[in-house]
Amino acid sequence: MSYENFLNEMQAKLKHIVPEPEIYIKAEIAYEINKLKAEKNAVILGHNYMEPALFHSIPDFVGDSLGLSRIAAQTDKDIIVFCGVRFMAETAKILNPEKTVLLPAKKAGCSLASSITAEDVRQLRAQFPGVPVVTYVNTYADVKAESDICCTSGNAKAVVESLEGETVIFLPDEYLAGNVAKETGKHIIFPSKLKTGAHPNLDYQMIGWHGRCEVHEQFTVKDIEDIRAQYPDVVILAHPECSPEVVAASDYSASTTAMIHHVEQTNAPNYLLLTECAMGDNIAAANPEKEMLRLCRVRCPHMNEITLEDTLAALQKDQYVIEVPEDIRLRAAKAVERMIQIG
Ligand code: 13P
Ligand code: SF4
């Protein structure tokens, strides 16, 4: 495609939400990225939280953690550039050991992933022998390696229900765990509230951990009340990393992709997303007829590390290469593949 046509397409997609001068600058970089991507036989995966100009110009596939894991498992390209955060790029590497996986920004972490270590999981296993461990994909490879099965926000309930036995250890997001406990009717408890030692007679069914997403933990029921007072017809969608109280006060809760589909498939006067704010912009760009309200005081600093400039540098310099030690990768792959099979 010529540069003129590419620029025209970007302008058509983004004109409602990105100022013209910004589109001119970003279109040049995005065009370079797409040329280099083809030359190097690379695929670009973009999480739904990427900023709108990047989201709508360079990814071959966009989606939530589950969707992108599935695509990563199937790609035949030599290089996977992951426009997302480190745990997502690690998941792609776990599933594609022979491929080069690049993360454009070194510092793209995640507060949930850094809330738990492999040693923490080993200690929980010792405390609750025989209880299966479910870990959210928002964890690093060594934590996944200590787990029986992974889950994402899109399949957490199905994963928990797929396990035999009444009790599961669900790590590390206390709010996602609380939301899944509600959905499955399970009683949840946190080890910090228990006396140390073994617990042979469990009278609870979900054991949680005190990890939180630094973005979603900040939304409150008061935010919802205030918005509803100002916009009585608003439909509020909350990601399940929000607290169970916030999820209960909202109208809909699901993974980022399911939230996008819900907005696209319904017809409310306006919508508010309680999640990383770029996603509202991305929906507004693709669906100019939708009225998206913004509550943008909370941003994900990690997702916002990923820029078009850094993605171009990633392809030019083959940086930053994601490595996972083979013994960890093999064990982590079992937990991730078991999750992908469940759907
Ligand atoms: P999704 O899997 O729903 O895209 O969520 C990932 C994430 O990091 C949410 O904060
Ligand atoms: Fe992690 Fe929260 Fe950022 Fe998602 S939004 S990557 S869970 S810190």
Side-chain angles (χ1 to χ4, degrees):
M1 184 191 298
S2 72
Y3 176 67
E4 285 66 35
N5 288 348
F6 181 74
L7 177 64
N8 287 343
E9 275 190 11
M10 265 185 88
Q11 280 172 322
K13 271 187 222 154
L14 295 167
K15 64 178 181 232
H16 303 288
I17 52 156
V18 182
E20 277 279 292
E22 186 179 327
I23 299 179
Y24 280 120
I25 294 167
K26 291 192 169 171
E28 274 185 27
I29 306 171
Y31 192 71
E32 275 305 302
I33 291 172
N34 286 341
K35 267 197 338 208
L36 206 48
K37 177 175 76 176
E39 279 166 35
K40 298 189 86 162
N41 196 30
V43 63
I44 298 185
L45 307 183
H47 187 263
N48 292 325
Y49 289 165
M50 291 296 102
E51 61 99 358
L54 186 157
F55 184 84
H56 286 289
S57 64
I58 58 165
D60 300 283
F61 300 96
V62 292
D64 60 12
S65 306
L66 181 59
L68 294 177
S69 302
R70 285 210 178 103
I71 290 160
Q74 286 162 5
T75 186
D76 58 359
K77 300 287 184 187
D78 298 326
I79 299 175
I80 301 171
V81 181
F82 215 118
C83 290
V85 291
R86 174 168 293 271
F87 75 80
M88 296 179 177
E90 274 192 2
T91 305
K93 183 67 183 178
I94 287 166
L95 295 168
N96 292 285
E98 75 291 355
K99 305 215 157 128
T100 301
V101 177
L102 303 176
L103 179 68
K106 253 187 182 165
K107 285 198 294 179
C110 171
S111 67
L112 278 171
S114 55
S115 72
I116 192 157
T117 65
E119 179 54 25
D120 292 330
V121 186
R122 288 191 286 270
Q123 285 188 13
L124 283 166
R125 278 202 189 274
Q127 201 179 350
F128 302 100
V131 178
V133 176
V134 178
T135 48
Y136 195 26
V137 285
N138 294 35
T139 46
Y140 292 121
D142 57 343
V143 168
K144 289 185 174 79
E146 299 296 331
S147 315
D148 294 292
I149 185 165
C150 289
C151 75
T152 72
S153 62
N155 63 9
K157 179 171 179 267
V159 166
V160 167
E161 286 177 341
S162 75
L163 297 169
E164 280 172 19
E166 270 293 283
T167 307
V168 295
I169 299 172
F170 189 102
L171 309 169
D173 184 348
E174 74 170 89
Y175 287 160
L176 179 65
N179 285 313
V180 172
K182 256 183 157 177
E183 274 191 276
T184 53
K186 286 183 183 287
H187 175 208
I188 185 163
I189 193 141
F190 293 90
S192 55
K193 305 245 164 67
L194 292 172
K195 293 195 187 91
T196 49
H199 296 272
N201 302 314
L202 298 174
D203 62 347
Y204 36 81
Q205 301 140 347
M206 247 174 119
I207 295 145
W209 187 254
H210 285 303
R212 287 188 191 176
C213 163
E214 68 191 271
V215 177
H216 294 92
E217 72 170 344
Q218 295 192 45
F219 296 114
T220 63
V221 173
K222 175 141 187 342
D223 291 333
I224 294 182
E225 288 164 356
D226 290 347
I227 295 282
R228 289 205 197 278
Q230 200 179 349
Y231 301 93
D233 296 327
V234 65
V235 167
I236 299 182
L237 299 91
H239 192 274
E241 289 168 13
C242 294
S243 74
E245 296 73 28
V246 164
V247 167
S250 66
D251 300 299
Y252 182 81
S253 179
S255 78
T256 53
T257 292
M259 288 163 99
I260 295 171
H261 290 161
H262 188 79
V263 173
E264 288 178 342
Q265 289 160 13
T266 57
N267 207 3
N270 36 51
Y271 294 90
L272 176 73
L273 306 181
L274 300 182
T275 196
E276 158 56 39
C277 217
M279 210 170 89
D281 292 333
N282 292 335
I283 298 177
N287 307 272
E289 76 289 358
K290 302 280 178 188
E291 191 59 51
M292 305 301 297
L293 304 178
R294 307 289 204 280
L295 191 57
C296 288
R297 66 163 196 276
V298 199
R299 308 301 305 247
C300 176
H302 312 287
M303 289 284 182
N304 280 290
E305 284 285 327
I306 307 294
T307 62
L308 282 166
E309 287 85 347
D310 287 342
T311 308
L312 180 58
L315 274 166
Q316 285 168 333
K317 301 181 195 167
D318 290 333
Q319 66 186 24
Y320 296 93
V321 178
I322 297 291
E323 303 285 7
V324 177
E326 188 59 7
D327 56 323
I328 290 178
R329 190 196 70 76
L330 284 170
R331 288 183 291 132
K334 277 193 193 148
V336 176
E337 278 159 5
R338 197 170 161 195
M339 167 193 83
I340 288 176
Q341 274 157 21
I342 285 180

